[in-house]
Amino acid sequence: MQFENRRFNIDSKYYMVALLCVLGIASFLRFHELGQSYLWQTEIHTVWPAKHFLEGLGFSKPVGTEPYLRAWITSTLPVATSFSILGYTEFAARLPSVLIGLSTVLVSYFLGKDVGGKKLGLLVSGIMALDFWVINWHTEARMYAHNQFLYILGVWLMFRWYNRDGLDFRSRYLFALIPTILLGIHNHLSFLGLCPAIGLFLVLSLFMEFKDNDWRVKISQNRFVRNHLKWIFLGSLTALIYLAIHGIPFPLLDLAPSWYVFDRGSLYYLRWLSDYNSLIYFFGIGLVLIWRQKKNWLIPLAFGIPFIVQSFLFFKHPRFIFHL
């Protein structure tokens, strides 16, 4: 017994050292020459409102006094805080995205570990740490690094809430998931894709619970099943209230700005990803493999369903599937 405990501790230390190495490499790749290049035009949409806020003008656009409140809690306010401490520099503008990006690498490890063990966790976090496209967005003063972090965090919290606490109303994971979803929707509209994925996951899970048993007996004797029904009802009610207040999200209405390129077909994202990294198809195979266990169904649904929906929407740009 002592030998087994000792081996367990050695293994734990090995994985801890490996994770620290991944985080160290990720930090180096993101901080290296972070403030050397000038701000991109798109970064100005975050930087100038942050600067104006510190000058007492509120979150306003670079020209004029028109308010710019897009992702002000998650993106603009952290940049303003960074400016107040480090001054108006490119480094300070991008620092919040780097810190959020490093947090994403860490959360990716925990999600991978829960799905397939520590080795998978290290693999996922390693990919996040080294991927060029991920590094690019983690070093720009925009809200896309935050969107990725909140989305993966939301998937992980939902995964733990379902598998560890059985959708309990008093779960600490639920208390963390609710503000994560609210911040995610505030940060970027594409985060909404997680909500129907969660809803579909709960419906499929409930169907499997009823498949081989009398549903009336299941409802009366199984608290886990009752929690399914309660959350499906509450989720549907919340969705109806959201649609009543905000209407149908504009991407679903095929609305696009005048500068948009109109000749992108439904397979645009798949072609773009295959040109970017031919290994993308192996990730698709991985999603199929983890479908074998019901506890993992959330993962393919959360990353696959929104990708498919985004592919058929009229308005397409690679950064809109960055979190997927």
Side-chain angles (χ1 to χ4, degrees), residues 5 79 86 95 97 100 112-113 133 140 144 150 170 217 234 239 241 254 258 293 302 305 320 323:
N5 288 336
V79 172
L86 301 175
L95 179 61
S97 292
I100 287 292
K113 181 173 74 72
W133 197 29
E140 290 194 5
Y144 298 105
L150 291 168
R170 297 165 295 179
V217 175
L234 289 175
I241 294 174
D254 284 345
S258 58
Q293 293 181 294
I305 297 298
F320 296 152
H323 59 292

Side-chain angles (χ1 to χ4, degrees), residues 197-209:
I198 290 176
L200 180 58
F201 169 66
L202 292 178
V203 170
L204 290 176
S205 175
L206 182 63
F207 174 78
M208 294 304 296
E209 291 289 334

Side-chain angles (χ1 to χ4, degrees), residues 165-169 222-232:
D165 290 350
L167 302 176
D168 189 86
F169 279 71
N222 194 316
R223 183 179 179 184
F224 184 48
V225 169
R226 292 198 300 273
N227 285 343
H228 274 77
L229 293 170
K230 292 175 183 177
W231 282 112
I232 290 173

Side-chain angles (χ1 to χ4, degrees), residues 43-232:
E43 292 180 285
I44 298 298
H45 293 290
T46 300
V47 172
W48 274 100
K51 185 175 182 293
H52 285 173
F53 174 76
L54 292 178
E55 295 172 349
L57 302 175
F59 296 111
S60 55
K61 292 185 176 182
V63 179
T65 59
E66 183 181 352
Y68 185 81
L69 299 178
R70 185 180 184 190
W72 70 269
I73 297 176
T74 54
S75 182
T76 312
L77 189 58
V79 172
T81 303
S82 182
F83 280 160
S84 68
I85 299 172
L86 301 175
Y88 297 121
T89 64
E90 285 82 357
F91 179 91
R94 292 163 178 158
L95 179 61
S97 292
V98 170
L99 297 179
I100 287 292
L102 292 175
S103 300
T104 305
V105 174
L106 184 61
V107 171
S108 298
Y109 168 78
F110 290 128
L111 178 60
K113 181 173 74 72
D114 284 356
V115 172
K118 293 180 179 179
K119 291 181 180 178
L120 181 60
L122 286 175
L123 176 62
V124 174
S125 61
I127 292 172
M128 296 293 291
L130 298 174
D131 185 85
F132 173 79
W133 197 29
V134 173
I135 294 173
N136 179 69
W137 285 113
H138 285 182
T139 54
E140 290 194 5
R142 293 290 279 153
M143 78 286 290
Y144 298 105
H146 309 66
N147 190 41
Q148 184 190 50
F149 168 72
L150 291 168
Y151 196 90
I152 296 176
L153 177 63
V155 173
W156 179 58
L157 290 172
M158 178 64 202
F159 186 91
R160 286 207 160 192
W161 179 41
Y162 176 86
N163 288 296
R164 294 197 175 191
D165 290 350
L167 302 176
D168 189 86
F169 279 71
R170 297 165 295 179
S171 170
R172 56 179 176 173
Y173 299 115
L174 173 63
F175 293 142
L177 177 63
I178 291 175
T180 298
I181 291 176
L182 294 176
L183 287 173
I185 295 173
H186 162 78
N187 183 76
H188 198 275
L189 200 59
S190 63
F191 187 93
L192 282 171
L194 178 60
C195 300
I198 290 176
L200 180 58
F201 169 66
L202 292 178
V203 170
L204 290 176
S205 175
L206 182 63
F207 174 78
M208 294 304 296
E209 291 289 334
F210 286 157
K211 186 177 179 181
D212 300 319
N213 298 278
D214 185 353
W215 62 271
R216 288 166 294 188
V217 175
K218 274 284 186 177
I219 293 175
S220 63
Q221 298 181 357
N222 194 316
R223 183 179 179 184
F224 184 48
V225 169
R226 292 198 300 273
N227 285 343
H228 274 77
L229 293 170
K230 292 175 183 177
W231 282 112
I232 290 173

